[in-house]
């Protein structure tokens, strides 16, 4: 390999380092990186049109863009807020399913010759409460990080709060899945309870993955 | 003018250069530098997260547009963005008037001899 071919491209190095440093929703991150790559390419093109050699133009373009230490925190802040909005949306859409599942189990229980144990009934009430509070917090997050953010500053700890709200909701969904699976074994009307359990399991999978990504983003430094 | 002095006014600058019509990232940077006659030292990379934020706030909308063989994301002002720009202009005018009257005080009425 010749020395020339081994010579690193400053633009590609910068983009690779930026890609490695940022975490967030894949589609949004890819869009942000692509735009930044385009911007650097345009800057290099402008410099080379003025007669500058590519390597020098690329170094200058990177210098004008700002160091990674200057750029990463502001990019990460946007990605973290976007991830928090994704998690909030997942909770706001799926938590009502959890409440519906328990309502289904509750109403089905009244038609059965057997009764859900008192402990299970209390558990159902608590899980429904957790899911309802999580859904309300998620809806509030969607409002405050969207249009309302023009007038209200977004609290720095909000993404972390959303991450743990999502985590709590996902745990409640996992417990609901187990409880509904157990209840479906005992009930005569088992297909309904099994369906509700499958719905709770699917909700758990969606919310848990999103909350995990949100916890990861919220731990990263951002401005 | 230093980059940190510009930072607090970045939103207004971006909204202002987008007022005539849609532009992509590099064209926005070039427009800011052209309008300021090169006086503003922008860390040009920082405009991309700022554009994303303004879009999240509903002040800008964006779409991919083809330009030759390349595809670029172009931004344009929304109605809310135009309204915010008008507010930014008013606030800036009031601010510069207030600071100007302190830095360059006119002789108060009745003081003239």
């Amino acid at each position: 390999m010749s020395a020339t071919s081994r010579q690193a491209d400053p633009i590609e190095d910068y983009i690779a380092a930026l890609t490695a440093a940022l975490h967030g929703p894949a589609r949004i991150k890819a869009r942000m990186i692509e735009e930044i790559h385009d911007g650097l390419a345009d800057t290099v093109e402008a410099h080379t049109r003025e007669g500058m050699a590519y390597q020098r133009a690329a170094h200058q373009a990177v210098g004008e863009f700002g160091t990674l230490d200057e750029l990463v925190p502001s990019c990460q802040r946007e990605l973290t807020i976007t991830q928090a909005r994704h998690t909030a949306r997942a909770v706001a859409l799926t938590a009502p399913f959890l409440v519906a599942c328990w309502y289904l189990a509750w109403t089905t229980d009244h038609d059965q010759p057997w009764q859900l144990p008192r402990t299970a009934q209390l558990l159902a009430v608590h899980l429904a409460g957790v899911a309802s509070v999580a859904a309300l917090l998620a809806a509030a997050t969607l409002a405050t990080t969207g249009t309302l953010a023009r007038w209200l500053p977004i609290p720095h700890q909000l993404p972390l709060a959303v991450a743990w709200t999502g985590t709590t909701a996902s745990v409640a969904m996992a417990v609901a899945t187990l409880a509904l699976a157990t209840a479906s074994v005992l009930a005569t009307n088992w297909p309904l309870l099994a369906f509700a359990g499958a719905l709770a399991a699917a909700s758990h999978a969606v919310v848990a993955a999103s909350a995990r990504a949100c916890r990861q983003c919220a731990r990263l430094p951002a401005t | 003018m230093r980059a940190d002095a510009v930072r607090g006014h970045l939103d207004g600058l971006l909204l202002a250069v987008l007022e005539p019509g849609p532009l992509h990232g590099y064209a926005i940077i070039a427009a800011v530098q052209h309008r300021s006659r090169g006086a503003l030292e922008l860390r040009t990379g920082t405009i991309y997260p700022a554009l994303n934020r303004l879009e999240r706030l509903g002040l800008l909308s964006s779409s991919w547009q083809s330009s030759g063989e390349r595809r670029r994301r172009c931004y344009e002002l929304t109605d809310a963005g135009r309204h915010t720009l008008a507010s930014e202009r008013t606030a800036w005018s009031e601010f510069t008037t207030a600071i100007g009257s302190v830095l360059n005080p006119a002789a108060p009425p009745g003081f003239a001899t």
Side-chain angles (χ1 to χ4, degrees):
Chain A
M1 196 181 283
S2 72
T4 310
S5 62
R6 280 203 313 270
Q7 196 170 25
D9 184 334
I11 303 295
E12 298 309 321
D13 288 351
Y14 189 87
I15 291 297
L18 188 63
T19 305
L22 295 177
H23 297 275
R27 196 172 54 85
I28 306 297
K29 178 182 161 182
R31 185 190 119 173
M32 190 182 272
I33 299 281
E34 187 179 349
E35 272 192 281
I36 290 173
H37 190 275
D38 283 348
L40 280 166
D42 283 331
T43 311
V44 171
E45 203 177 296
H47 289 325
T48 51
R49 262 202 311 269
E50 291 165 0
M52 205 180 278
Y54 177 83
Q55 279 292 325
R56 194 173 154 219
H59 278 293
Q60 187 158 326
V62 166
E64 290 166 6
F65 239 65
T67 64
L68 286 175
D69 286 345
E70 288 170 318
L71 188 58
V72 166
S74 49
C75 289
Q76 186 57 55
R77 172 77 174 156
E78 266 316 292
L79 288 174
T80 299
I81 290 172
T82 307
Q83 179 61 59
R85 284 177 63 78
H86 283 200
T87 302
R89 196 174 293 119
V91 172
L93 291 176
T94 57
F97 280 130
L98 183 67
V99 178
C101 286
W102 279 109
Y103 181 73
L104 204 63
W106 192 280
T107 50
T108 307
D109 174 53
H110 289 304
D111 301 333
Q112 298 300 318
W114 55 275
Q115 290 282 306
L116 278 176
R118 179 86 181 137
T119 318
Q121 290 182 8
L122 278 174
L123 183 67
V125 170
H126 281 103
L127 287 175
V130 168
S132 302
V133 170
L136 284 174
L137 288 173
T141 298
L142 286 173
T144 53
T145 54
T147 314
L148 274 182
R150 286 183 213 159
W151 302 282
L152 299 172
I154 297 174
H156 203 70
Q157 294 297 321
L158 183 67
L160 194 61
V162 173
W164 284 108
T165 301
T167 304
T168 307
S170 77
V171 170
M173 287 163 182
V175 175
T177 303
L178 286 174
L180 285 165
T182 308
S184 69
V185 173
L186 301 171
T188 47
N189 193 9
W190 66 269
L192 198 61
L193 288 170
F195 174 72
L199 212 57
S203 299
H204 164 74
V206 170
V207 173
S210 190
R212 195 180 312 117
C214 195
R215 287 199 306 272
Q216 188 190 17
C217 286
R219 280 195 292 264
L220 296 169
T223 53
Chain B
M1 200 176 287
R2 291 199 319 269
D4 54 347
V6 175
R7 197 173 298 142
H9 307 289
L10 186 58
D11 289 3
L13 296 176
L14 297 178
L15 294 175
V17 296
L18 284 166
E19 193 178 24
L23 293 173
H24 58 77
Y26 179 74
I28 292 170
I29 294 164
V32 170
Q33 288 175 342
H34 175 72
R35 283 199 191 188
S36 72
R37 297 181 184 86
L40 298 181
E41 270 181 36
L42 273 182
R43 284 298 185 203
T44 51
T46 58
I47 74 141
Y48 294 93
L51 290 169
N52 279 246
R53 181 169 45 77
L54 293 172
E55 188 178 12
R56 173 169 53 77
L57 299 180
L59 304 178
L60 299 180
S61 61
S62 73
S63 59
W64 288 105
Q65 289 181 11
S66 293
S67 167
E69 289 181 357
R70 290 174 62 180
R71 212 167 63 108
R72 287 190 173 96
R73 192 145 195 101
C74 288
Y75 293 86
E76 65 182 315
L77 282 187
T78 61
D79 288 342
R82 289 183 195 285
H83 188 261
T84 301
L85 176 59
S87 304
E88 289 268 345
R89 281 190 172 126
T90 305
W92 175 252
S93 174
E94 287 169 1
F95 177 76
T96 50
T97 303
I99 297 293
S101 63
V102 174
L103 292 179
N104 301 307
F111 253 66
T113 54

